[in-house]
Amino acid sequence: MTAAEDRTRRVARRRFATLRRSVDLFRAFLVEQTDPDHFYGLLATDSVRQVSGYTDLDGRTVLDVGGGPGYFATAFRAAGARYIGLDPDVGDFSAAGESVAGMLRGSGTALPVRTASVDVAFSSNVVEHVAEPPRMLDEMVRVTRPGGLLFVSYTPWLSPWGGHETAPWHYLGGDRARRRFERRVGRPPKNRFGETLFPVSIADTLRWARGNGDIEVVDVLPRYHPWWARWVIRVPGVREVAAWNFVLVVRRTGERQPGAVEKSELTGGRVAM
């Protein structure tokens, strides 16, 4: 990518990350349980636009790790991408009326995909549901070709929504929040602490990125915030709570790029680890 193209993409990302977008996403989030088609459809379209701010999608092969319902399949294919979705339960794809053709069943920590075979490795809100996030991230790097892009987002444990449906009681402990939910609702939560929900942090992921010699960090940002609120990622501790949902964008290089983590565009300098 030339310097001019990079500047153009930066401007496009800033124009995309508006306050109106943030408000629309938050309003949709409020009806996630009652109107999932609206929420996940909007989130998928928004995600494709966000990824497009870093790389062209037309004609590119996109692997969606933890694809779940087929909303993302529809959005990526509409952008011209060759979409491959992977999920432990292929039946989840039917939730959006999407055919399971072309979908894979498998684990994010042992991807059934050839090394260096995809252009974009994408994952939305999956890392916090994996017991060993570094294994999943390493696998995503492995299957991405040199020059390809990884786009990973997740909800940190200390985010207001870190406990998912047990939030905000997760701040008092994941086990306690889970027991409280069971007492009030009469059934276990879908996202069970220690089984299907784990306390991952932004600091954990940045340490992984710093220690991986095969990637260059392109960007780190709060996924749903307007562009002028991206500063929260610069502040250790604060970002764990204020980011709400964290995005890591890296490029597969095959060799270490000195200082790559510190060059994230939003900070204008160093990202504190």
Side-chain angles (χ1 to χ4, degrees):
M1 182 185 301
T2 67
E5 290 172 334
D6 183 53
R7 286 194 298 271
T8 298
R9 287 192 184 276
R10 290 189 187 194
V11 171
R13 291 197 293 269
R14 176 171 291 196
R15 289 176 176 171
F16 164 69
T18 64
L19 179 60
R20 175 60 183 270
R21 164 186 173 263
S22 299
V23 171
D24 288 345
L25 287 169
F26 179 72
R27 286 176 174 169
F29 177 78
L30 295 177
V31 298
E32 176 194 9
Q33 298 297 316
T34 57
D35 191 359
D37 285 347
H38 173 65
F39 172 70
Y40 287 107
L42 179 64
L43 182 62
T45 300
D46 183 86
S47 298
V48 170
R49 288 188 61 192
Q50 201 166 32
V51 175
S52 297
Y54 299 95
T55 186
D56 293 328
L57 289 173
D58 189 23
R60 304 292 176 87
T61 299
V62 175
L63 174 66
D64 182 1
V65 179
Y71 303 99
F72 287 95
T74 300
F76 274 109
R77 287 170 179 163
R82 296 189 294 269
Y83 177 90
I84 303 169
L86 179 139
D87 200 272
D89 184 0
V90 172
D92 282 349
F93 289 111
S94 64
E98 182 72 25
S99 168
V100 298
M103 307 298 183
L104 300 176
R105 180 176 183 178
S107 169
T109 58
L111 296 174
V113 178
R114 292 194 305 272
T115 297
S117 61
V118 304
D119 299 300
V120 178
F122 172 85
S123 180
S124 173
N125 296 321
V126 175
V127 170
E128 70 266 38
H129 302 293
V130 177
E132 299 178 273
R135 288 186 58 187
M136 174 177 151
L137 297 173
D138 285 341
E139 277 290 273
M140 292 179 69
V141 172
R142 178 185 66 80
V143 302
T144 303
R145 65 169 181 79
L149 197 78
L150 279 76
F151 184 102
V152 180
S153 79
Y154 64 87
T155 305
W157 178 246
L158 292 180
S159 159
W161 190 242
H164 289 44
E165 66 266 50
T166 68
W169 302 100
H170 68 293
Y171 285 124
L172 301 179
D175 289 323
R176 179 180 294 183
R178 175 178 174 174
R179 291 194 298 269
R180 180 185 181 277
F181 183 93
E182 291 186 22
R183 288 196 304 269
R184 291 178 62 85
V185 180
R187 59 174 175 80
K190 175 182 178 181
N191 300 285
R192 300 177 300 281
F193 181 76
E195 295 181 26
T196 60
L197 181 64
F198 302 91
V200 65
S201 70
I202 295 174
D204 291 338
T205 304
L206 291 176
R207 278 192 292 270
W208 169 84
R210 181 176 56 187
N212 191 303
D214 292 329
I215 61 171
E216 174 188 8
V217 174
V218 176
D219 208 355
V220 291
L221 65 149
R223 182 177 185 180
Y224 306 129
H225 289 31
W227 67 267
W228 44 263
R230 290 160 58 110
W231 63 268
V232 301
I233 294 297
R234 305 180 196 177
V235 188
V238 172
R239 63 191 172 205
E240 303 290 347
V241 178
W244 189 283
N245 192 282
F246 174 64
V247 170
L248 173 71
V249 184
V250 305
R251 197 170 304 282
R252 176 76 157 87
T253 62
E255 61 181 330
R256 185 63 176 168
Q257 301 293 319
V261 171
E262 289 80 14
K263 293 190 292 187
S264 173
E265 72 169 51
L266 72 95
T267 66
R270 182 175 297 272
V271 177
M273 295 294 173

